[in-house]
Amino acid sequence: MAAPSRVVLLQRVAQTLKAAQVHALSNQLLQTSVQQLHELLQGLDGEPLTLLWASDAVFVNRALLVPGSSLAQPLEALARLFERLGVHELRFDAEVTHEQLLAFIATFQKHWHSQSPRAIVDEPGPVRFREVGKDELEAVAVGTMDRRQSLLQSYARLTTLAKVVVDHVSARQRFQLGVVRRAVQQLAESSTGAEALLAGLTRFPNLQGALHFHLTATATFSLLMGRRLGLPRGALVDLSLVALLHDLARLELASADLELRKEASLQQPARSLLAVASLSDARDALLAASVAFESGLSASGDDSLLHPGAAARLVAVPSLFSRLTTPLPPRKALAADQALRLLRRQAGARLDADAVALFISIVGLFPVGTTVRLSSGELAVVLEVPKDPAHGARPVVKVFRDAAGGPADAVVDLSADPLRRAAVECVDADEAANPVPFLLA
């Protein structure tokens, strides 16, 4: 029998411990979950299993587990469990028996429901929790992933949680906004000094027009705008969080026909407000609800009672850019440079002129991660925006296709290029490359 994957092991451990929190040991559901976990552990061929929570990431036998949609809920369940117990590591020794697993579950339940659950760290046995020192945690995190990998992991986690939020709204279910806030905080921390890479991750192809990709991109651009404004950490996280939640009503537009879309779009601000408010009655939800409503209003409205606030004016710009560059059949996505030209035309009318100028100063004429055609006919992916706005058409690029259509491999700073090449246009989705491999190379 093939050894179980790390994903399957993590899911089963999380499900078993979650069941143990609410069911007696005699419950058939819990008994079945323990039996399935034991069978998976037997498939490890005598190897131990160690789960470690460090730097808001999970490591299975010291290997980083990159989150996906199937892991969002198990990861959050384990995070809450580790936080309550005050531990970082759960270890299963090799050849754990079924009886030993049952004894561990009984011990876990005793401490979980006690006034001092952290005392479980003093319990010996072949399955045990352990508190890990700060130095050891940092050594694991630093030794396993560099800054770029850490940022990619944080961005992937926030995207996954955005999908969970969208699913909850679709099912009219509430969600723990504190979980999302922690993910936004982690993204803010891991992106410090790596803003170009963070901007580039927003250009990951969203060919299906998935709402959670749009929300994550808007939150990311809002974070970059807030950082350029010098917002303090708390305000920066607030801005990014409300941007992530501002457009949840767009879920209703994705499957509607053209007539219903036209009608629903007129009610978009109010629909977004109600969608966000349904998540929670916490302060975060109320703040996000107001921004969700105001971001759909015109920045030049004559009625002062309907004039959007500062956060809504900032969020509206990257939100429109993301929507314009995302397909909504039968409408094709605009290329990034076309979308930016449209933003300029809307500045001072539908959009706040200062917010548009701030956004363009961050993304440049050709945003990081976009595929551009050079004046030489070559294709390249933008790696960095020029520091001097006068060189807007000459970013740092990775050339991957020559003028004849053959493969190429060269990093060129076009602002200092002796051939005087320049980016002339963004290419459409059919020619565009997935930017992530180029940005992480």
Side-chain angles (χ1 to χ4, degrees), residues 35 62 80 90 134 144 176 187 195 221 223 328 381 395:
Q35 179 60 39
R62 298 301 173 100
R80 290 195 295 270
L90 173 58
K134 180 180 179 181
T144 308
Q176 295 290 332
L187 182 66
E195 286 79 8
F221 282 128
L223 188 155
L328 184 61
V381 171

Side-chain angles (χ1 to χ4, degrees), residues 104-317:
F104 164 72
I105 294 298
T107 300
F108 169 76
Q109 291 178 322
K110 179 187 71 173
H111 288 284
W112 181 260
H113 297 294
S114 73
Q115 295 298 316
S116 54
R118 191 176 177 279
I120 198 170
V121 299
D122 299 323
E123 296 283 356
V127 185
R128 59 196 177 277
F129 285 104
R130 184 170 75 97
E131 184 179 9
V132 178
K134 180 180 179 181
D135 291 343
E136 184 178 348
L137 288 176
E138 291 179 350
V140 171
V142 173
T144 308
M145 55 183 176
D146 62 17
R147 176 182 293 274
R148 294 179 303 170
Q149 290 175 315
S150 175
L151 175 54
L152 183 61
Q153 191 267 344
S154 298
Y155 189 85
R157 180 167 184 262
L158 185 60
T159 304
T160 300
L161 284 175
K163 176 65 165 61
V164 173
V165 170
V166 169
D167 290 344
H168 275 67
V169 171
S170 179
R172 302 295 190 267
Q173 297 175 346
R174 290 195 168 197
F175 186 75
Q176 295 290 332
L177 287 185
V179 174
V180 185
R181 170 173 281 276
R182 288 198 297 272
V184 172
Q185 289 171 336
Q186 180 65 24
L187 182 66
E189 292 167 2
S190 63
S191 64
T192 303
E195 286 79 8
L197 174 56
L198 179 59
L201 293 177
T202 66
R203 307 308 302 150
F204 187 87
N206 183 14
L207 302 179
Q208 303 303 316
L211 177 60
H212 61 287
F213 283 124
H214 159 63
L215 297 176
T216 308
T218 304
T220 296
F221 282 128
S222 298
L223 188 155
L224 293 172
M225 294 170 74
R227 182 168 287 164
R228 180 66 63 87
L229 290 173
L231 294 183
R233 184 172 180 270
L236 187 64
V237 172
D238 280 342
L239 176 64
S240 304
L241 181 62
V242 299
L244 186 78
L245 303 173
H246 82 287
D247 211 8
L248 286 172
R250 191 152 295 274
L251 179 68
E252 302 174 13
L253 301 182
S255 58
D257 61 33
L258 290 177
E259 287 303 315
L260 287 176
R261 283 185 198 170
K262 186 180 300 184
E263 178 183 350
S265 65
L266 298 176
Q267 306 167 6
Q268 194 73 9
R271 288 172 180 255
S272 291
L273 183 154
L274 293 173
V276 177
S278 68
L279 284 174
S280 169
D281 56 4
R283 168 188 172 276
D284 287 337
L286 297 176
L287 179 61
S290 65
V291 171
F293 177 77
E294 293 174 359
S295 63
L297 303 177
S298 171
S300 61
D302 295 329
D303 189 342
S304 61
L305 294 177
L306 294 178
H307 192 68
R313 295 199 301 275
L314 288 173
V315 168
V317 177

